[in-house]
């Protein structure tokens, strides 16, 4: 593709998208850095504070534990379901990816029902004190179960695309099953495991919802929750300090990027139908283990949330405790408002994100500076939501926007435009360049050309991008709790409010709504994109 | 008045110089074939005339007007040139009628006139009964006719054809090239026809231009070329 001078219309479009990316995401992030370095005293003073050190080590410990759990679960599950004849692999595979789309705070709500030390279902069944979710281990367990699909999906796609003749060649060279695994299969998976482990480290270091719901009770603080508490307690006075802490949090997220190995596995050949490794005597026990995992990691948490939403109080399963009263919440007042607000905000954010991400994807290969714009569009997604939210407060407060609902829209578009950029970019790449060329030769240009040719040709990718943004926006919590002003609530902040202060039992209703909506959207997305997007 | 003029036109893609000072004149109503092996620059010539590429230097004129030189740039959508692509480029989300009527829709013609002219051109290319078909329901030859009709519907002065028949089977190719020649002689448009098939070029053209490495190495009428076969490049097919 040749990069040439753009027409004035194209240049205006490109500039418009670039401006949105800059003022919505990049400049606010620079403001965080600026605020931190211009008040170095404030920040260095906090470093002497033992609770800051505690929060920093908390973040590091949580990210390491979570990454460990995610790798230990994700990689073997991927290998087991793609390369072996383990029973139930076809039935369980779609279930194994569900945690990928469910926000971790919903998982936290579920595990609080299952494993709180007093009345959790598991402690009722197996005796009090069997498991305690209110601990660093419990927190890492919840996040590990939420984030293992990052490893699972990456390793699975490598295993599905790797040339099977690599393993066959080893077998022909006389290697037994174990030798083939050790010498060929594991090294093949290594770079996928490392890169996805880096991703898990990043998202678990950034996580806010589960650490706020579980860690705070367990008295285990991490940077994201510490920043939140500081800001709630001190307000704008804490800004310089908080900006410094945000830089510290951002530095944690950068660790895997710095460490990432430059070596990439080269995967030759097109995947062919291959014989699965017969597990022999291990087949039945491994099948039972797989079923048990699906039960504990997916089915039980989902049931815990859904069943609890029908209970008047606590986790008492006696018939007299069943009620529909919490669902009445959905029909009135604050909770209904929160659901409606999240619906239209997420829909609007998804539409804008598709527009901005789509423009960035289009010009990536077509304009000088297109690659830079694509990178800048992707950056906020890798940034912890907490840091982005602090930046948005710093940058937008002088304009009077930080106290309105629009700052939420800005936050969602800034953070998630990258999720729309990818499918739209992939869609654009599949279009034969002669199709738009033919339209230009017919006299079409500008908006008309985009509307009559480009959009219809890549409509499935555009819809996929829309849903990929809509889902996380609808349930967004991390940025929303920092950015909502009095009188405005979203699904995430309402749920947070209910469980922290008002009525924990009622929070299950909202968690159920989120669960149903994201799983439903995901199914719709898979159908619309014929299985290309969604999990 | 000349149909198409390229005056000392140069074009490079990065380090690769495809054309260096290329001259070509196509008379009004003439059908000129550009013949040569892949990579010789013939498609680049076509895309430069179309306006899909911008020349680095030189002048391009269409219908007596300059469309590209150091200070002038007319974008493809303003050149009123028809083009038929090698891959047909029939839009899959529109039916046959909408594909062919698209240039008229862009021009803002009233519906009735659009329908009338589209039906007429579909008759001309032999697609009379297929207006409502989706492109996926058409054979390769029929898709090629859709592309041809779309290129002609605006009654352009110049039609560019980029290896239009290379994806068709041999028998169909012979029929299609006869049809294209017939339509060209009936309607009288100027045409540049890019191909690497010598028989095709000999059968369809008023003049053949043989290219190699971005230069014209030989040219002449089909009769002249037939009597001097050494003018032709080695047939690499």
């Amino acid at each position: 593709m040749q990069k040439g001078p753009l027409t004035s219309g194209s240049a205006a479009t490109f500039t418009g998208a670039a401006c949105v990316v800059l003022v919505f995401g990049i400049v606010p992030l620079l403001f965080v850095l600026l605020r931190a370095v211009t008040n170095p005293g404030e920040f260095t003073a906090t470093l002497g504070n033992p609770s800051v050190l505690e929060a920093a080590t908390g973040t590091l410990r949580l990210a390491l534990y979570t990454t460990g759990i995610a790798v230990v679960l994700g990689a073997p599950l991927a290998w087991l379901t793609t390369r072996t004849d383990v029973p139930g692999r076809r039935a369980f595979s779609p279930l194994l990816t569900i945690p990928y789309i469910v926000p971790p705070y919903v998982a936290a709500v579920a595990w609080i029902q299952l494993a709180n030390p007093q009345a959790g279902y598991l402690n009722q069944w197996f005796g009090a004190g069997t498991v305690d979710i209110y601990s660093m281990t419990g927190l890492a367990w919840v996040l590990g179960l939420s984030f293992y699909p990052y490893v699972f999906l990456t390793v699975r796609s490598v295993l599905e695309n790797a040339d099977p003749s690599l393993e066959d060649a080893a077998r022909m060279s006389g290697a037994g099953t174990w030798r083939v695994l050790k010498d060929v299969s594991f090294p093949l998976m290594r770079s996928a495991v490392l890169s996805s482990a880096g991703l898990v480290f990043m998202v678990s270091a950034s996580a806010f919802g589960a650490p706020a719901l579980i860690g705070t009770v367990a008295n285990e603080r991490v940077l994201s929750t510490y920043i939140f508490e500081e800001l709630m307690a001190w307000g704008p006075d804490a800004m310089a300090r908080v900006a410094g802490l945000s830089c510290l949090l951002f530095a944690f997220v950068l660790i895997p990027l710095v460490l990432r190995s430059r070596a990439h596995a080269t995967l030759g050949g097109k995947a062919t139908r291959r014989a699965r490794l017969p597990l022999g005597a291990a087949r039945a026990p491994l099948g039972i283990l797989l079923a048990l995992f699906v039960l504990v990691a997916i089915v039980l948490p989902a049931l815990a949330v859904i069943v609890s939403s029908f209970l008047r109080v606590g986790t008492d399963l006696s018939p007299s405790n069943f009620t529909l009263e919490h669902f009445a919440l959905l029909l009135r007042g604050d909770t209904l408002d929160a659901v409606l607000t999240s619906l239209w905000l997420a829909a609007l954010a998804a539409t804008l994100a598709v527009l901005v991400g789509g423009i960035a994807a289009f010009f990536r290969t077509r304009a000088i500076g297109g690659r830079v714009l694509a990178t800048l569009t992707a950056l906020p997604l890798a940034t912890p939501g907490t840091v982005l939210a602090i930046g948005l407060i710093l940058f937008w407060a002088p304009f009077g926007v930080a106290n309105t609902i629009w700052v939420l829209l800005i936050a969602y578009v800034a953070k998630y435009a990258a999720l729309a950029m990818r499918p739209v970019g992939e869609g654009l790449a599949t279009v034969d360049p002669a199709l738009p060329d033919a339209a230009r030769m017919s006299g079409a240009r500008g908006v008309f050309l985009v509307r009559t040719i480009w959009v219809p040709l890549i409509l499935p990718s555009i819809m996929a991008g829309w849903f990929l943004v809509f889902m996380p926006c609808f349930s967004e919590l991390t940025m929303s709790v920092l950015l909502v002003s009095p009188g405005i609530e979203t699904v995430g902040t309402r749920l947070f409010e209910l469980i922290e202060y008002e009525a924990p039992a009622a929070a299950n209703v909202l968690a159920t709504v989120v669960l149903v909506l994201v799983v439903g959207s995901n199914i719709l997305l898979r159908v619309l994109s014929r299985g290309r997007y969604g999990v | 008045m000349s149909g198409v003029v390229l005056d000392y036109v140069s074009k490079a893609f990065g380090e690769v110089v495809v054309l260096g000072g290329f001259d070509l004149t196509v008379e009004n109503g003439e059908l000129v074939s550009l013949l040569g092996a892949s990579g010789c620059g013939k498609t680049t010539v076509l895309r430069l005339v179309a306006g899909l590429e911008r020349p680095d230097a030189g002048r391009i004129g269409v219908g007596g007007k300059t469309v590209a030189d150091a200070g002038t740039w007319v974008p493809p959508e303003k050149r009123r040139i028809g083009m038929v692509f090698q891959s047909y480029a029939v839009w899959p989300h529109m039916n046959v009628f909408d594909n062919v009527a698209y240039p008229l829709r862009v021009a803002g013609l009233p519906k009735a006139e659009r329908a009338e002219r589209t039906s007429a051109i579909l008759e001309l290319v032999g697609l009379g009964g297929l207006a409502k078909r989706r492109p996926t329901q058409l054979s390769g030859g029929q898709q090629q006719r859709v592309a041809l009709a779309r290129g002609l519907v605006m009654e352009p002065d110049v039609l560019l054809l980029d290896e239009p028949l290379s994806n068709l089977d041999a028998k169909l190719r012979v029929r299609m090239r006869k049809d294209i020649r017939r339509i060209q002689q009936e309607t009288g448009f100027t045409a540049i026809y890019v191909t690497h098939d010598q028989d095709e070029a000999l059968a369809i053209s008023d003049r053949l231009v043989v290219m190699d490495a971005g230069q014209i190495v030989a040219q002449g009428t089909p009769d002249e070329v037939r009597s001097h076969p050494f003018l032709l490049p080695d047939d690499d097919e």
Side-chain angles (χ1 to χ4, degrees):
Chain A
M1 188 83 51
Q2 193 196 14
K3 290 182 187 179
L6 301 171
T7 63
S8 58
S10 298
T13 312
F14 181 76
T15 313
C19 286
V20 170
V21 169
L22 287 177
V23 300
F24 279 23
I26 302 304
V27 177
L29 287 177
L30 288 176
F31 265 57
V32 178
L33 191 66
L34 204 68
R35 189 59 176 261
V37 296
T38 51
N39 300 280
E42 286 264 8
F43 177 57
T44 44
T46 61
L47 283 181
N49 184 340
S51 53
V52 169
L53 196 67
E54 202 188 296
T57 48
T59 295
L60 191 62
R61 277 165 65 214
L62 179 60
L64 284 175
Y65 294 171
T66 304
T67 308
I69 293 171
V71 168
V72 165
L73 292 175
L77 280 169
W79 178 77
L80 210 57
T81 51
T82 49
R83 289 294 222 213
T84 73
D85 63 345
V86 70
R89 58 183 184 271
R90 251 183 291 275
F92 291 142
S93 278
L95 291 176
L96 285 172
T97 52
I98 285 180
Y100 188 69
I101 50 165
V102 176
Y105 69 78
V106 171
V109 170
W111 279 96
I112 290 171
Q113 311 296 329
L114 282 171
N116 77 62
Q118 288 88 34
Y121 295 117
L122 293 176
N123 290 320
Q124 287 180 39
W125 300 332
F126 298 108
T130 311
V131 278
D132 181 3
I133 202 66
Y134 291 125
S135 61
M136 184 54 95
T137 331
L139 179 54
W141 171 248
V142 170
L143 285 187
L145 285 185
S146 287
F147 295 144
Y148 82 84
Y150 286 89
V151 182
F152 176 78
L153 288 166
T154 315
V155 173
R156 186 174 76 174
S157 96
V158 165
L159 288 178
E160 276 174 350
N161 292 315
D163 189 347
S165 61
L166 295 172
E167 284 169 345
D168 294 342
R171 200 157 287 133
M172 296 309 290
S173 312
T177 301
W178 175 243
R179 285 298 302 252
V180 173
L181 273 179
K182 184 171 78 71
D183 295 343
V184 181
S185 310
F186 290 163
L188 265 180
M189 292 157 61
R190 211 179 69 118
S191 100
V193 169
L194 284 178
S195 68
S196 55
L199 213 56
V200 174
F201 186 96
M202 288 168 77
V203 289
S204 48
S206 312
F208 169 78
L213 296 177
I214 293 173
T216 316
V217 178
N219 211 15
E220 292 278 7
R221 258 160 206 79
V222 294
L223 281 170
S224 61
T225 54
Y226 185 77
I227 290 172
F228 174 72
E229 285 169 10
E230 283 287 289
L231 214 55
M232 290 303 114
W234 303 101
D237 296 341
M239 255 317 168
R241 196 156 71 236
V242 160
L245 292 170
S246 297
C247 290
L248 186 62
L249 175 53
F250 194 57
F252 274 109
V253 169
L254 289 177
I255 294 175
L257 290 180
V258 175
L259 291 182
R260 183 148 75 185
S261 100
R262 293 187 180 278
H264 286 286
T266 45
L267 302 169
K270 213 177 149 70
T272 46
R273 276 269 144 248
R274 48 167 291 114
R276 289 170 178 274
L277 181 76
L279 292 170
R283 192 167 178 262
L286 283 172
I288 292 169
L289 217 57
L290 179 63
L292 215 59
F293 176 77
V294 170
L295 180 73
V296 171
I298 320 272
V299 178
L300 272 185
L303 279 179
V305 167
I306 294 168
V307 171
S308 301
S309 66
F310 290 99
L311 298 180
R312 186 164 288 119
V313 287
T315 49
D316 174 11
L317 288 174
S318 57
S320 60
N321 196 31
F322 275 81
T323 174
L324 286 173
E325 70 183 41
H326 300 312
F327 278 90
L329 266 180
L330 288 178
L331 301 174
R332 60 160 199 269
D334 296 348
T335 307
L336 178 66
D337 285 347
V339 173
L340 293 178
T341 302
S342 278
L343 275 176
W344 74 257
L345 260 184
L348 192 57
T351 310
L352 286 175
V354 163
L355 208 61
V356 173
I359 293 169
F362 183 83
F363 286 108
R364 204 178 94 88
T365 54
R366 287 173 176 84
I368 294 153
R371 229 165 263 278
V372 176
L373 177 61
T375 307
L376 293 180
T377 309
L379 185 71
L381 186 62
T383 310
T386 308
V387 179
L388 185 57
I390 302 294
L392 289 170
I393 295 171
L394 285 172
F395 179 75
W396 285 100
F399 300 100
V401 176
N403 286 319
T404 68
I405 195 161
W406 304 114
V407 74
L408 288 175
L409 184 70
I410 291 172
Y412 297 171
V413 173
K415 177 122 173 132
Y416 296 116
L419 293 179
M421 183 168 68
R422 199 179 63 102
V424 173
E426 286 170 359
L428 288 170
T430 61
V431 172
D432 173 5
L435 293 174
D437 280 352
R440 296 192 70 195
M441 297 309 295
S442 305
R445 64 196 184 92
V447 176
F448 186 83
L449 175 65
V450 171
R451 185 168 61 80
T452 56
I453 304 294
W454 280 115
V455 169
L457 283 175
I458 62 161
L459 197 57
S461 305
I462 290 176
M463 287 193 298
W466 195 90
F467 274 104
L468 286 172
V469 177
F470 176 83
M471 287 193 281
C473 287
F474 176 76
S475 59
E476 212 285 332
L477 173 69
T478 310
M479 298 185 293
S480 305
V481 284
L482 289 167
L483 294 173
V484 283
S485 33
I488 301 169
E489 284 189 290
T490 67
V491 165
T493 63
R494 181 75 193 133
L495 189 144
F496 193 68
E497 191 118 313
L498 283 172
I499 205 161
E500 290 278 84
Y501 310 109
E502 289 181 31
N508 290 298
V509 174
L510 265 184
T512 304
V513 168
V514 171
L515 203 58
V516 168
L517 202 113
V518 292
V519 172
S521 299
N522 183 59
I523 292 171
L524 198 61
L525 170 61
R526 276 197 75 82
V527 172
L528 283 175
S529 69
R530 297 199 185 89
R532 246 177 90 82
Y533 298 104
V535 293
Chain B
M1 185 180 73
S2 290
V4 176
V5 178
L6 285 91
D7 194 359
Y8 209 70
V9 170
S10 298
K11 179 70 191 174
F13 295 100
E15 302 281 292
V16 185
V17 179
V18 180
L19 298 175
F22 184 86
D23 294 314
L24 178 71
T25 302
V26 181
E27 299 300 331
N28 212 10
E30 190 184 23
L31 196 162
V32 168
S33 289
L34 296 183
L35 190 62
S38 37
C40 72
K42 55 192 194 300
T43 293
T44 302
V45 170
L46 211 66
R47 291 178 64 83
L48 283 164
V49 174
L52 296 171
E53 305 289 352
R54 229 176 149 132
D56 299 331
R59 189 187 80 88
I60 299 171
V62 176
K65 273 187 236 133
T66 297
V67 293
D69 66 13
T72 316
W73 173 249
V74 179
E77 59 269 18
K78 298 252 175 76
R79 291 190 184 186
R80 293 184 50 91
I81 294 177
M83 185 158 177
V84 179
F85 292 82
Q86 183 174 13
S87 60
Y88 317 140
V90 175
W91 300 304
H93 60 287
M94 300 182 193
N95 66 21
V96 168
F97 183 92
D98 291 338
N99 260 282
V100 174
Y102 187 81
L104 304 175
R105 187 175 148 207
V106 176
L109 263 61
K111 260 206 160 112
E113 195 185 341
R114 266 192 252 167
E116 196 182 313
R117 284 175 64 174
T118 306
S119 306
I121 203 85
L122 284 174
E123 286 298 331
L124 185 70
V125 300
L127 287 175
L130 302 179
K132 294 288 164 208
R133 289 275 185 93
R134 304 297 279 184
T136 44
Q137 300 169 301
L138 299 179
S139 69
Q142 288 168 331
Q143 290 191 43
Q144 190 53 273
R145 286 167 195 271
V146 174
L148 185 62
R150 186 179 60 193
L152 290 172
V153 73
M154 281 299 283
E155 294 170 8
D157 299 326
V158 179
L159 185 70
L160 307 173
L161 301 107
D162 185 10
E163 309 213 17
L165 308 182
S166 61
N167 291 330
L168 302 178
D169 65 55
K171 229 169 111 183
L172 200 54
R173 253 192 289 206
V174 173
R175 236 182 77 197
M176 279 296 295
R177 78 189 185 209
K178 279 185 181 150
D179 281 354
I180 291 175
R181 183 60 166 166
R182 171 180 57 83
I183 294 166
Q184 191 255 338
Q185 285 175 333
E186 278 172 23
T187 50
F189 57 80
T190 307
I192 304 180
Y193 189 106
V194 163
T195 180
H196 58 254
D197 181 334
Q198 296 175 10
D199 293 334
E200 198 172 293
L202 287 167
I204 205 168
S205 324
D206 295 309
R207 180 156 57 101
L208 282 79
V209 170
V210 181
M211 286 182 66
D212 185 32
Q215 297 292 329
I216 296 178
V217 292
Q219 54 180 317
T221 63
D223 286 339
E224 288 168 355
V225 170
R226 276 195 201 94
S227 52
H228 300 89
F230 57 87
L231 290 176
L232 289 173
D234 293 334
D235 201 334
D236 57 359
E237 283 208 310

